Amino acid sequence: MADMDVFLDRLDPDMCVVTAAADGEEAGCLVGFASQCSMEPVRFVVWLSEVNRTFRVAGSAEYLAVHLLAREQHALAEVFGGQTGDDVDKFRQVRRRHGYGGAVLLEDTEAWFVGRVVERTPGGDHVGFVLDPVEWGGSGTSGGPLLRLSDARTIEAGHPVD
């Protein structure tokens, strides 16, 4: 698989934080695998690792929220990427509110949307959650550069893949 690194090492995707709420639990994690996956109707897919708590909560969630972070929001990315919800209540460390369908919205992000889960698709060690956007918003500014994978490489995963 090392030969594939020639391709993969050239990629530098935007990072996002995905939050889920279901059955009285809330969870969130930093995600590097996410993309618009349909133009009409608009659909977006986020890929969640099967080993983390957010995946377990999202499995029962009807809605997920997806948040874009500015490059300078490394500390917020550290909360959701460098800690595990199995040990820490990440939401005590951030400003948040509830949105459509009870989705957890992070207050201080560049842009966000809530999506209804329309499909769950296995894909190796991650599962793709295909989302139908139902609510969205953002900081209202033109925004600067977004947090990218290269900005987040120093974050040691709170729940590393075995």
Side-chain angles (χ1 to χ4, degrees):
M1 206 48 148
D3 292 339
M4 188 63 183
D5 289 344
V6 171
F7 181 88
L8 296 175
D9 287 348
R10 305 272 325 242
L11 300 178
D12 195 17
D14 295 328
M15 302 297 288
C16 57
V17 172
V18 175
T19 57
D23 303 324
E25 293 187 79
E26 296 178 340
C29 64
L30 186 65
V31 171
F33 304 145
S35 176
Q36 183 175 344
C37 61
S38 174
M39 292 172 55
E40 187 60 43
V42 173
R43 294 286 187 266
F44 196 88
V45 64
V46 295
W47 294 89
L48 301 179
S49 170
E50 294 176 342
V51 301
N52 74 35
R53 183 169 183 273
T54 304
F55 170 77
R56 293 190 303 272
V57 175
S60 300
E62 187 175 352
Y63 299 94
L64 300 180
V66 180
H67 309 80
L68 293 177
L69 306 180
R71 182 168 285 153
E72 65 269 7
Q73 292 183 293
H74 194 273
L76 183 57
E78 181 79 41
V79 170
F80 285 93
Q83 301 176 23
T84 173
D86 292 327
D87 300 330
V88 174
D89 182 353
K90 299 174 188 181
F91 296 103
R92 287 186 180 265
Q93 302 173 57
V94 299
R95 291 178 353 111
R96 65 175 175 89
R97 65 182 175 86
H98 289 97
Y100 191 95
V104 183
L105 299 176
L106 304 179
E107 293 279 359
D108 301 313
T109 59
E110 288 295 299
W112 56 268
F113 80 92
V114 174
R116 182 176 59 84
V117 178
V118 295
E119 187 176 344
R120 291 172 177 87
T121 304
D125 59 3
H126 284 62
V127 172
F129 289 73
V130 179
L131 305 175
D132 174 21
V134 296
E135 181 184 30
W136 45 85
S139 65
T141 64
S142 61
L146 296 175
L147 184 80
R148 302 183 71 85
L149 177 60
S150 58
D151 303 315
R153 286 201 190 275
T154 59
I155 299 173
E156 187 175 332
H159 209 305
V161 177
D162 295 331

